[in-house]
Amino acid sequence: MLLRIYEENPNPKFIEQAVDVLKKGGVIIYPTDTVYGIGCDITNQKAIERVCKIRGLKPEKSNLSFICYDLTDISQYTKPFDTAVFRVLKKTLPGPFTFIFNASSQVPKLLSTKKKTVGIRVPDNNIVREIVKELGNPIVTSSIRDEDDIIEYSTDPELIYEKYQDLVDLVIDGGYGGNVASTIVDVTSGEFDVIREGKGDLEEYL
């Protein structure tokens, strides 16, 4: 199913439709403030395995991130971090960043992994944030990549739909996506270690 949702004022009925798919264990593709993502409810193990299979990842080794609605959700999934980190998070989120934290004991249980870290995203995109808010917990997320050698990420929702319609339960058309992924920042040591330069410029906020 392809569902057109406008970011300016996402139609609550359409948001509910997407949430309904997630609650039933479905996998969806959605826009973010960077590239299109693929994800599911973090509490559904079978759906997480499906996301990994579609992306060709091994669940126990995958670097899946969580999309949260805002900062209040983050503390459930991370070990405590200091106020200097929190101050930067407040300035940068919602925004095009993925922050890597030391994971709380919740995370390995949710992802069936022994990983000690977790990536957290709060994208500056009303569609996916409203879905997460309505769902009541984060969604697991991974980027939609393109097989094209030049374009790393798929940007056209209709082409994404053509490619993935038999693999996922819902593709949300939120307009053209970007093709620059989020900037990944490791804060596990208490320092800000940029491990992938992307759309967000951390220097502006330090």
Side-chain angles (χ1 to χ4, degrees):
M1 180 167 58
L2 183 65
L3 188 61
R4 179 80 170 102
I5 303 181
Y6 294 94
E7 199 204 337
E8 285 300 305
N9 286 302
N11 185 322
K13 270 194 188 154
F14 294 160
I15 296 293
E16 273 174 39
Q17 222 174 315
V19 169
D20 198 45
V21 170
L22 290 168
K23 283 183 173 168
K24 288 176 178 161
V27 171
I28 68 171
I29 289 174
Y30 44 84
T32 71
D33 54 352
T34 55
V35 300
Y36 266 80
I38 180 170
C40 64
D41 184 340
I42 59 165
T43 63
N44 192 303
Q45 195 53 51
K46 283 202 168 126
I48 292 171
E49 284 164 17
R50 263 183 76 198
V51 169
C52 290
K53 194 174 176 191
I54 293 164
R55 284 282 286 104
L57 306 167
K58 289 194 167 126
E60 66 281 3
K61 290 186 177 160
S62 60
N63 288 321
L64 296 168
S65 297
F66 293 177
I67 289 185
C68 295
Y69 175 69
D70 61 18
L71 286 173
T72 53
D73 291 340
I74 291 178
S75 56
Q76 290 181 59
Y77 308 103
T78 66
K79 287 191 173 159
F81 47 86
D82 65 28
T83 47
V85 171
F86 185 73
R87 274 201 290 271
V88 171
L89 294 181
K90 274 190 85 163
K91 287 190 235 170
T92 52
L93 300 176
F97 296 91
T98 301
F99 286 96
I100 310 287
F101 296 90
N102 292 306
S104 72
S105 56
Q106 279 271 78
V107 173
K109 284 184 220 141
L110 290 165
L111 296 182
S112 294
T113 162
K114 293 191 170 68
K115 283 182 79 66
K116 302 280 198 304
T117 58
V118 62
I120 302 280
R121 282 270 279 128
V122 182
D124 189 10
N125 180 289
N126 288 332
I127 298 168
V128 71
R129 285 182 69 221
E130 284 302 317
I131 289 169
V132 168
K133 187 181 183 184
E134 190 66 28
L135 180 65
N137 48 265
I139 54 178
V140 155
T141 186
S142 182
S143 301
I144 290 287
R145 289 182 176 274
D146 203 299
E147 271 77 66
D148 191 298
D149 288 339
I150 300 163
I151 306 162
E152 195 178 353
Y153 298 99
S154 308
T155 59
D156 183 335
E158 290 190 7
L159 293 178
I160 291 170
Y161 177 67
E162 274 176 35
K163 183 175 173 182
Y164 288 96
Q165 60 182 320
D166 297 328
L167 297 171
V168 303
D169 304 283
L170 172 67
V171 175
I172 294 170
D173 174 354
Y176 272 86
N179 59 4
V180 179
S182 63
T183 293
I184 300 179
V185 186
D186 188 331
V187 293
T188 53
S189 66
E191 302 292 316
F192 297 94
D193 182 15
V194 176
I195 52 179
R196 180 181 76 190
E197 291 280 0
K199 189 176 172 187
D201 181 3
L202 192 70
E203 289 300 315
E204 289 178 24
Y205 304 98
L206 295 180

